[in-house]
Amino acid sequence: AAALSARRAVLSFSEQSYAELRATHDAAATELRSAELDAVAASGEASAAQASVARAEQARAEVAQARGKLDALDRQKRLHDELDRAYTDLRTDLNVQLRPEMSELASAFLTELTDARYDELELDDSYNLTVLEDGVPKPVISGGEQDVANLCLRLAISQMIAERAGQSFSLLILDEVFGSLDESRRQNVVELLRGLGDRFEQVILITHVEQVREGLDRVISVRYDEETGCSVVGQTEAGAPEGELLASLGAA
């Protein structure tokens, strides 16, 4: 015991100094752990910041790409707007040029088909037609008169196309144009179509009206055979069974 006390005296050991050193050590260890935790948190924040920077750069690139697309679309829109204005002007010019000519041709056809009862047909900017009687617009016309006016307009359009093609067209097909017409106007239509032979080499009429066959060059009937359940096609003569007619004017 004496030896230990002697050595202790040599080492100058102090309980108070030991306690102070231990407290200092523990405080330093606590600060170290806190610093390590702060370092981990800072590292996480740094990673998050780097990810945010990467996202921001990507967003910037996407914005630049979107701006480029928007600029391209804006250029296309300006071009389309210019084309729209040009086509609108062209359509207006064509209407100014074509509508009067179309009205004139349709009026000539109308005069022939109505035995000069009506001699004028007008078209508005939307190509809605108005029949005039003695120069006065007729607000109400019958269904047959409406069909005649529409037929005149179709014939006028067909003639204008043929004239602008620089040669006669080989074929004109009209489907069910006689249904609402009286006998006189039916014959007028047939005679008028014959007069178009210099512009259309052949005119084919599809109709269920039997009475017009006498004025046609060739008549082909299409009728349903109940026994066979099939359509039968053939040349017809007067008194043949009724059916749909394919009537031809002009070349075979």
Side-chain angles (χ1 to χ4, degrees):
L4 289 174
S5 297
R7 292 185 63 183
R8 180 178 179 183
V10 172
L11 293 174
S12 300
F13 176 78
S14 170
E15 290 287 346
Q16 182 179 356
S17 297
Y18 172 75
E20 292 175 354
L21 288 173
R22 185 176 183 84
T24 302
H25 173 272
D26 292 343
T30 300
E31 291 178 359
L32 175 61
R33 286 194 296 271
S34 178
E36 289 175 344
L37 292 175
D38 291 343
V40 171
S43 177
E45 292 176 356
S47 297
Q50 290 177 350
S52 296
V53 170
R55 288 194 298 271
E57 292 296 335
Q58 182 179 359
R60 178 184 297 174
E62 291 175 353
V63 168
Q65 184 178 11
R67 183 174 290 112
K69 290 182 178 179
L70 181 61
D71 291 341
L73 290 173
D74 185 61
R75 289 192 296 271
Q76 292 182 15
K77 180 181 180 300
R78 290 197 299 271
L79 176 60
H80 289 167
D81 289 342
E82 185 63 30
L83 288 174
D84 181 65
R85 285 191 293 270
Y87 278 122
T88 298
D89 293 342
L90 176 61
R91 183 167 55 250
T92 301
D93 292 342
L94 288 176
N95 283 338
V96 170
Q97 297 175 21
L98 296 180
R99 195 169 66 247
E101 181 181 356
M102 192 177 299
S103 296
E104 183 178 353
L105 288 173
S107 297
F109 290 136
L110 184 65
T111 300
E112 293 188 47
L113 292 182
T114 62
D115 293 323
R117 177 181 177 183
Y118 305 120
D119 59 0
E120 190 173 357
L121 186 153
E122 287 187 348
L123 298 171
D124 62 17
D125 293 342
S126 299
Y127 284 82
N128 297 311
L129 59 85
T130 301
V131 174
L132 281 72
E133 185 175 11
D134 297 328
V136 179
K138 189 174 182 182
V140 179
I141 58 178
S142 66
E145 291 170 339
Q146 183 71 45
D147 289 343
V148 169
N150 288 330
L151 174 60
C152 292
L153 184 58
R154 290 199 295 271
L155 292 175
I157 293 172
S158 300
Q159 179 170 328
M160 290 177 66
I161 293 174
E163 290 175 350
R164 280 159 174 73
Q167 58 184 3
S168 62
F169 279 8
S170 61
L171 183 64
L172 174 65
I173 300 176
L174 297 173
D175 186 12
E176 297 295 353
V177 296
F178 297 111
S180 60
L181 305 183
D182 57 31
E183 181 63 27
S184 175
R185 286 180 178 170
R186 289 172 185 167
Q187 295 305 317
N188 286 347
V189 169
V190 172
E191 292 304 317
L192 176 62
L193 294 177
R194 283 190 177 280
L196 297 178
D198 58 333
R199 279 151 285 184
F200 300 95
E201 296 178 7
Q202 186 175 35
V203 178
I204 293 180
L205 306 172
I206 302 173
T207 182
H208 287 83
V209 178
E210 293 281 326
Q211 291 81 356
V212 299
R213 71 169 62 204
E214 298 300 330
L216 305 175
D217 297 335
R218 295 172 182 81
V219 178
I220 297 174
S221 69
V222 181
R223 61 183 180 84
Y224 179 72
D225 189 328
E226 294 184 356
E227 293 184 0
T228 62
C230 300
S231 295
V232 179
V233 180
Q235 296 279 348
T236 64
E237 302 294 340
E242 292 187 358
E244 185 174 60
L245 303 181
L246 299 178
S248 174
L249 294 169

